[in-house]
């Protein structure tokens, strides 16, 4: 087993929570890559300023990476970058999360403290299941989607790749949310949401549709 620590891409608030989840799970973060003002460390993890360090780190035997950036499109880009350089995207599960044995998790996923992933849910690569969020049975959460803290997603919901469900969003059973959609904080989604839409409120109503 490779004992070198995980390279974290990102050095902001989300990266802090990821670092603590990694440490709580008994693993360790070796370096962060990103910028954090004038700080040279993030929670005692040294910060390297840009992606140009990746090739050297790979040559030194670092194999594992995690993309700790909230913006889905950036997570997607950096995920492809590090895989192209020969890193493996690790999945981080906080020890205080619950993941059903019948659930499937992709690569580069984080399941934060207090989150619950129930039976037969499928979580795509690079997805964030944030603090205290629940993803119930038979849900499919797409690649690089972000389920923010305290979301409650009922059974058999599909969330498309790149979508972001704001903090505290609730989704009733069987709903489909298209890819690259944004759901405002505190919304209750009771109708399907198309690709690229911005929806918010109780019940959630679409306010902007993508023109693409
Ligand atoms: C929905 C959201 C993306 C809209 O952002 P925005 O386009 O910058 O919108 P604005 O702040 O300019 O607000 C536009 C209008 O929508 C309303 N609005 C904004 N967010 C809302 C929400 N979640 N629910 C209901 N109404 C909302 C505002 O009150 C405002 O109404 P007004 O024009 O009558 O004053 C944002 O407010 C939001 O909820 N983001 C989620 C953030 C989050 O949870 N991130 C997870 C971090 S881990």
């Amino acid at each position: 087993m490779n004992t070198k620590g995980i390279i974290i891409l990102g050095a902001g608030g989300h990266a802090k929570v990821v670092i603590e989840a990694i440490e709580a799970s008994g693993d360790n973060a070796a370096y962060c890559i990103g910028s954090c003002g004038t700080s040279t460390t993030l929670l005692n993890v040294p910060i390297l300023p840009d992606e140009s360090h990746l090739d050297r780190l790979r040559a030194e035997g670092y194999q594992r990476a995690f993309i700790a950036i909230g913006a889905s499109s950036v997570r997607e880009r950096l995920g492809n970058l590090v895989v192209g350089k020969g890193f493996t995207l690790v999945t981080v599960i906080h020890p205080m999360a619950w993941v059903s044995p019948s659930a499937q998790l992709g690569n580069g996923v984080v399941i934060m403290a207090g989150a619950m992933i129930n039976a037969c849910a499928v979580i795509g690569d690079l997805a964030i299941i944030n603090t205290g969020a629940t993803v119930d049975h038979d849900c499919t959460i797409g690649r690089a989607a972000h389920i923010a803290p305290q979301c409650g997603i009922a059974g058999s919901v599909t969330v498309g790749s790149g979508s972001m469900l704001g903090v505290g969003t609730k989704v009733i059973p069987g709903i489909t949310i298209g890819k690259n959609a944004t759901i405002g904080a505190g919304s209750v989604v009771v109708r399907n949401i198309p690709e690229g839409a911005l929806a918010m409120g109780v019940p959630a109503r679409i306010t902007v549709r993508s023109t693409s």
Side-chain angles (χ1 to χ4, degrees):
M1 179 184 162
N2 185 300
T3 54
K4 286 189 176 269
I6 299 167
I7 307 302
I8 309 292
L9 281 87
H14 180 57
K16 289 181 188 172
V17 189
V18 167
I19 288 167
E20 291 192 341
I22 287 170
E23 291 173 350
S25 67
D27 210 329
N28 75 295
Y31 292 99
C32 290
I33 295 183
S35 83
C36 185
T38 55
S39 299
T40 55
T41 61
L42 188 74
L43 297 180
N44 297 319
V45 177
I47 300 174
L48 300 171
D50 61 69
E51 297 155 24
S52 65
H53 294 274
L54 285 170
D55 289 328
R56 173 181 62 77
L57 292 168
R58 185 69 195 91
E60 288 175 6
Y62 290 93
Q63 271 184 354
R64 301 181 298 154
F66 188 89
I67 316 301
I69 289 175
S72 296
S73 58
V74 180
R75 217 159 52 254
E76 178 75 52
R77 180 182 73 76
L78 292 175
N80 291 332
L81 178 77
V82 296
V83 168
K85 291 182 180 295
F87 288 90
T88 299
L89 286 171
V90 294
T91 281
V92 175
I93 303 174
H94 193 286
M96 290 183 70
W98 158 255
V99 178
S100 159
S102 60
Q104 294 174 44
L105 306 186
N107 299 319
V109 168
V110 62
I111 313 290
M112 294 296 196
M116 296 201 163
I117 312 296
N118 269 339
C120 301
V122 177
I123 312 294
D125 295 346
L126 295 165
I128 300 170
I129 311 298
N130 222 322
T131 310
T134 60
V135 176
D136 225 294
H137 65 87
D138 302 301
C139 284
T140 300
I141 306 299
R143 181 179 170 90
H146 180 179
I147 310 301
Q150 300 299 336
C151 283
I153 304 187
S156 302
V157 166
T158 298
V159 176
S161 58
S163 289
M164 197 284 294
L165 275 58
V167 62
T169 293
K170 309 297 175 194
V171 185
I172 68 169
I175 290 291
T176 295
I177 295 173
K179 64 183 183 180
N180 299 320
T182 302
I183 311 297
S187 299
V188 178
V189 181
V190 299
R191 298 279 182 266
N192 292 344
I193 303 292
E195 175 179 339
L198 168 63
M200 63 182 90
V202 182
R205 298 195 189 282
I206 295 165
T207 59
V208 174
R209 277 181 198 272
S210 168
T211 52
S212 61

